[in-house]
Amino acid sequence: MFLKARHMHPIRHDFRSDTVTRPTPAMRAAMAEADVGDDVYGEDPSVNALQERVAAMLGKAAGLFVPSGTQSNLLALMSHCERGDEYIVGQMAHCYRWEAGGAAVLGSIQPQPIAHLADGTMALADIEAAIKSDDMHFARTRLIALENAFGGKALPMSYMEVVAALAHSKGLALHLDGARAFNASVALGVDIAQMVAPFDTVSICLSKGLGAPVGSVLVGARAQIDKARRLRKMLGGGMRQAGILAAGGLYALAHNIDRLAEDHARAKKLALGLDQFAELNVEMPDTNIIFVRTEPDLGERLVAYLGARGIAVGGLYGTQRWVTHLDIDEAAIEAALDAVAGFFARN
Ligand SMILES: *Cc1c(COP(=O)(O)O)cnc(C)c1O
């Protein structure tokens, strides 16, 4: 497994993902005090407040609180596409590659994956060539899905706008997997509502860099979100006194967005430090995720060496993933760089 710790050493600094953060005492207090009701009846005031808050921040009409980003993306795909329809998506996009084929399995929606360019975008000509004409031989292309931030990169506003123009000129909808949309917005210096304006639906994760324990929110037009709410019930995502979770999300939105810039600065510092070692091929991050490529055997040994010193890093086939987040401070960056230096002093 990519992210599962493969060692028995206690973890002191966990760089595997920004999902590993634990709620702070202040966030827990907000959760403990949350006003709650039955959200399947639409009666949980904290869930309603969260949904309205995210919709307003993102400039959309309505929002829906869901258990995970995976379910949020699936609801978006299923609310845009019927059985036998198709979505165009990046080959390495989370909602194609990392969601267990849910769109195909549960939505009967055919993915049309497209290769990424080196900068993480898809070539416009490739997207356009994949849009199928109205012909009974073809699945009906209905949707294009983008992801931003994507693999630590903040894809530029101009890219999102040009793909939106193409999608809408062909009568297709546009979805953003914005699990880390706030990271992208902070990195681009573009207000979140302006950043997601080109999209019909947007999914954001509260449980990544924002530091809440659970949950995602899908936003879009009211009719779209009503459809997604019905599908959420179908998929078993209707939760009851979910306001306890929503309160963690509201707390995260109020306190943990601006500070994402710190995570990005620490990621840059870490990346520059790792880049000092000739054996490490470091992708400079715009946001909080760094990918490092190494010769696979060396990478395995490095990850094991760090793990034995309480520094957990994601690793697979010669690619390591380092992620900065709320629980990674300056001392953690120093400790990590010292440990890497220690490894190379011996290897
Ligand atoms: C984490 C993630 C998701 C899915 O979120 P879960 O809550 O883990 O299901 C979707 N898209 C991207 C880009 C992610 O990083």
Side-chain angles (χ1 to χ4, degrees):
M1 253 310 282
F2 186 41
L3 295 170
K4 208 163 181 175
R6 284 170 295 175
H7 49 75
M8 300 299 288
H9 306 278
I11 297 175
R12 286 188 300 131
H13 302 300
D14 198 342
F15 287 93
R16 290 172 300 163
S17 177
D18 47 10
T19 56
V20 301
T21 58
R22 273 165 261 209
T24 57
M27 183 182 280
R28 285 174 187 263
M31 296 172 73
E33 287 156 17
D35 257 347
V36 297
D38 190 326
D39 180 51
V40 174
Y41 296 165
E43 291 174 3
D44 188 302
S46 301
V47 170
N48 292 338
L50 174 67
Q51 292 174 163
E52 282 160 25
R53 177 99 189 93
V54 177
M57 289 176 85
L58 273 62
K60 306 296 181 197
L64 185 68
F65 183 52
V66 297
S68 69
T70 299
Q71 186 171 104
S72 192
N73 280 331
L74 180 59
L75 293 176
L77 296 174
M78 289 177 73
S79 69
H80 287 296
C81 303
E82 302 299 328
R83 184 163 184 250
D85 289 349
E86 172 185 83
Y87 71 115
I88 293 175
V89 62
Q91 185 72 248
M92 293 303 283
H94 203 283
C95 72
Y96 167 59
R97 188 104 177 181
W98 303 95
E99 296 181 4
V105 176
L106 299 166
S108 299
I109 304 164
Q110 165 170 293
Q112 168 61 71
I114 305 273
H116 298 277
L117 304 177
D119 66 0
T121 65
M122 298 178 271
L124 204 65
D126 290 348
I127 298 176
E128 191 160 4
I131 299 171
K132 297 176 184 50
S133 59
D134 181 8
D135 179 315
M136 70 172 180
H137 294 88
F138 299 145
R140 288 170 303 242
T141 311
R142 286 282 194 232
L143 175 74
I144 301 173
L146 299 185
E147 181 176 317
N148 208 1
F150 175 74
K153 294 187 172 71
L155 306 184
M157 201 62 230
S158 55
Y159 169 65
M160 295 186 277
E161 282 168 349
V162 76
V163 175
L166 173 64
H168 295 146
S169 76
K170 302 280 187 185
L172 309 181
L174 188 67
H175 172 65
L176 178 67
D177 176 356
R180 298 186 181 84
F182 286 102
N183 294 84
S185 152
V186 166
L188 293 172
V190 177
D191 170 73
I192 187 78
Q194 192 188 334
M195 191 186 96
V196 304
F199 295 90
D200 299 291
T201 48
V202 184
S203 167
I204 62 128
C205 285
L206 300 162
S207 58
K208 304 271 170 90
L210 296 181
V214 177
S216 285
V217 180
L218 178 68
V219 298
R222 191 160 301 277
Q224 194 84 37
I225 294 301
D226 286 344
K227 193 170 173 193
R229 186 177 298 105
R230 181 181 175 80
L231 291 163
R232 182 186 69 172
K233 192 80 189 89
M234 187 189 291
L235 293 174
M239 298 183 287
R240 303 296 177 171
Q241 286 72 37
I244 292 177
L245 301 174
L250 281 164
Y251 182 93
L253 293 170
H255 296 91
N256 293 344
I257 294 176
D258 291 342
R259 64 152 307 285
L260 291 172
E262 293 173 30
D263 295 344
H264 300 173
R266 289 194 183 115
K268 197 143 286 168
K269 181 173 173 183
L270 179 59
L272 288 169
L274 294 172
D275 200 41
Q276 300 305 306
F277 302 97
E279 295 87 345
L280 304 180
N281 184 357
V282 181
E283 231 176 68
M284 283 301 151
D286 301 321
T287 63
N288 67 326
I289 303 184
I290 311 165
F291 286 99
V292 178
R293 288 180 182 83
T294 54
E295 186 275 308
D297 179 58
L298 180 91
E300 286 283 313
R301 284 188 290 119
L302 173 61
V303 170
Y305 178 93
L306 294 172
R309 283 148 189 84
I311 294 167
V313 174
L316 183 74
Y317 308 131
T319 300
Q320 293 96 48
R321 192 174 88 147
W322 296 77
V323 185
T324 58
H325 50 75
L326 264 165
D327 296 348
I328 293 292
D329 58 10
E330 291 295 324
I333 302 291
E334 302 292 342
L337 289 173
D338 284 350
V340 173
F343 173 80
F344 283 112
R346 293 193 200 181
N347 283 270

